[in-house]
Amino acid sequence: MHVIFLSTFYPYRGGMAQFNACFYRALEKKYSVEAWNFSRQYPKLLFPGKTQFVDANDVADPISAKNVLDSVNPLSYQSTAKKVIAANPDVLLETLWMPFLGPSLGYVAKKVQRKGIVTIGLLHNVIPHEKQVTDEMLTKYFLSGQDAYIVLTESVRDDLLKYVPDARYELVGHPLYRHFSNTIAGEEARKVLNLPADKKVLLFFGFIRDYKGLDKILETMPLLSDEYHLLVAGESYGDFSKYQDIINKLGIADKVSIFNKYINDDEVQLYFNASDVCILPYKSATQSGIVGISYHFELPVIVTRVGGLDQMVEPFGTGLVVDEAKPELLKTAILEYFERDMTASCKAGISNYHNVHSWEAIATTVEVLYEEIKNRG
């Protein structure tokens, strides 16, 4: 089976590029697969971070990809579709994680679909975390160009079925990330990061955006004793000053360590190995790649019951789930985690999660959907 995988790849950075790289590596073991990339993913004006690209110090997987699709240039939509048709793959595989990319990816899918090429959309989100008035229109456009779908949680499946009630889909869990180095012990990691050796360290990791609830875990810190220390690691998408104002107002500067920057792949192990538990106090979500990273380092998690986060935790016993991102609830869960000394049992659950959810399973799903679409005729 010949697959063209059109999405974001190296040299773009971030969770989507990392996910796609792992997915691509699993696909290439089974099929003939090509990675096709964005020539421009986001215009600089619309990108809230410092850069979209890896730097010289990052050890991201350098997937060799064709740079073909400009997200804001309709002429490139046409030329990309023509190139896909000329390559004549069995499957065009695309990923959607935000409505902004719906027009470019959707146009290509619709054009090649008319030539009998099976189109499959892997959906990270259907309804975005930070909503805009055009989201529904753009998302529907993308969805209408797909023959079948891969979804990572039940909540994304439910959102899909609101728009496409008769959708042909496969539900698979988000696999663990396996490409990060894991060679440094926790004690040494704390020394490198200048963290207290004798504290219970709570990790908030990843791009800092409003829906991820950093404000809520900051507001939780005064409710915890000085035994607890919060480690915040990730680049702020937007002004960080509102979080600094919370820290100053609550007088918790000595209980929080801030690394407001993009964390390169080779640095990730420092933050996870230095921590006792990973905190995801999200106000909204579908699934989270941060959970997949945390499980790679055998680090249990405390998450909120939003989207499909609980489905990544409760069935496997890999941490605790709180009903809402409220300081009192977060405090209760944090105290329970340490009082019950849940580390060993959660690590056993993480091993079970890995056995159930794998990149190979998602790769196989592409072939399953392809065969069903072709047989349906």
Side-chain angles (χ1 to χ4, degrees):
M1 186 171 69
H2 179 200
V3 179
I4 288 180
F5 188 178
L6 176 59
S7 191
T8 182
F9 293 95
Y10 179 91
Y12 293 108
R13 72 181 192 182
M16 287 303 122
Q18 291 171 355
F19 181 99
N20 291 337
C22 293
F23 191 12
Y24 175 88
R25 293 304 184 194
L27 287 166
E28 71 174 353
K29 293 177 182 178
K30 298 174 66 68
Y31 315 116
S32 170
V33 58
E34 300 178 50
W36 289 28
N37 204 357
F38 285 95
S39 57
R40 175 166 50 178
Q41 183 176 226
Y42 310 120
K44 291 181 180 179
L45 182 65
L46 300 180
F47 183 71
K50 294 179 181 178
T51 179
Q52 299 176 51
F53 302 99
V54 300
D55 61 32
N57 298 318
D58 207 325
V59 293
D61 190 351
I63 301 293
S64 178
K66 297 179 180 180
N67 300 324
V68 294
L69 186 61
D70 183 334
S71 65
V72 294
N73 184 350
L75 293 177
S76 83
Y77 306 176
Q78 298 175 35
S79 63
T80 300
K82 289 179 180 178
K83 290 174 183 176
V84 174
I85 292 167
N88 194 31
D90 297 298
V91 174
L92 173 66
L93 173 66
E94 299 179 328
T95 56
L96 182 71
W97 63 98
M98 60 186 306
F100 170 78
L101 299 172
S104 57
L105 293 170
Y107 180 94
V108 176
K110 286 173 178 288
K111 285 293 185 181
V112 307
Q113 191 182 49
R114 294 171 189 165
K115 298 296 183 178
I117 297 169
V118 171
T119 56
I120 298 176
L122 190 151
L123 308 177
H124 289 268
N125 301 303
V126 173
I127 299 174
H129 307 299
E130 298 165 333
K131 299 176 182 178
Q132 305 292 330
V133 294
T134 58
D135 287 345
E136 184 171 342
M137 175 183 66
L138 300 181
T139 298
K140 282 183 175 180
Y141 182 77
F142 173 87
L143 296 176
S144 66
Q146 307 300 323
D147 291 308
Y149 312 87
I150 300 171
V151 296
L152 301 176
T153 63
E154 293 176 3
S155 65
V156 174
R157 175 203 61 194
D158 294 344
D159 291 340
L160 166 65
L161 294 177
K162 291 175 184 175
Y163 294 124
V164 190
D166 60 347
R168 178 66 193 94
Y169 68 89
E170 288 287 332
L171 171 62
V172 292
H174 195 305
L176 278 66
Y177 288 106
R178 289 297 192 191
H179 64 286
F180 297 108
S181 299
N182 191 11
T183 58
I184 189 168
E187 182 179 351
E188 180 61 25
R190 290 193 181 195
K191 288 181 181 178
V192 173
L193 297 175
N194 196 28
L195 297 175
D198 59 343
K199 304 293 185 182
K200 298 178 175 69
V201 176
L202 318 172
L203 174 64
F204 179 98
F205 186 88
F207 291 125
I208 299 169
R209 306 180 73 165
D210 181 68
Y211 74 88
K212 293 187 176 182
L214 175 57
D215 54 335
K216 298 305 178 183
I217 189 60
L218 289 173
E219 292 166 3
T220 304
M221 294 308 294
L223 307 180
L224 297 169
S225 73
D226 289 340
E227 294 179 86
Y228 296 89
H229 191 86
L230 177 63
L231 171 59
V232 178
E235 181 181 339
S236 179
Y237 272 21
D239 191 355
F240 188 79
S241 63
K242 65 178 180 180
Y243 301 110
Q244 190 61 53
D245 289 344
I246 294 173
I247 293 170
N248 296 340
K249 179 180 177 181
L250 297 177
I252 56 172
D254 59 339
K255 298 178 70 172
V256 182
S257 294
I258 304 291
F259 294 84
N260 181 11
K261 63 174 187 173
Y262 179 78
I263 310 300
N264 290 336
D265 283 8
D266 59 341
E267 298 177 310
V268 170
Q269 62 170 323
L270 287 172
Y271 299 91
F272 283 88
N273 287 335
S275 304
D276 293 296
V277 68
C278 185
I279 308 289
L280 289 81
Y282 289 10
K283 303 170 187 177
S284 66
T286 46
Q287 67 283 322
S288 173
I290 304 303
V291 174
I293 299 173
S294 195
Y295 289 174
H296 168 65
F297 292 100
E298 295 189 312
L299 187 67
V301 297
I302 296 174
V303 306
T304 44
R305 195 180 301 281
V306 292
L309 292 183
D310 57 337
Q311 298 161 34
M312 303 179 75
V313 178
E314 285 183 325
F316 304 93
T318 53
L320 293 173
V321 179
V322 300
D323 288 334
E324 294 182 70
K326 292 184 176 180
E328 284 290 348
L329 296 178
L330 292 168
K331 169 197 168 185
T332 298
I334 291 166
L335 294 178
E336 179 184 354
Y337 175 82
F338 287 100
E339 288 171 359
R340 288 174 55 188
D341 193 14
M342 296 177 64
T343 302
S345 63
C346 288
K347 285 185 176 181
I350 289 170
S351 178
N352 185 36
Y353 184 98
H354 175 62
N355 291 335
V356 173
H357 299 306
S358 68
W359 297 104
E360 291 73 21
I362 299 186
T364 299
T365 296
V366 174
E367 185 173 4
V368 169
L369 289 170
Y370 168 74
E371 294 292 346
E372 290 189 10
I373 296 300
K374 296 301 287 187
N375 290 338
R376 191 176 67 186

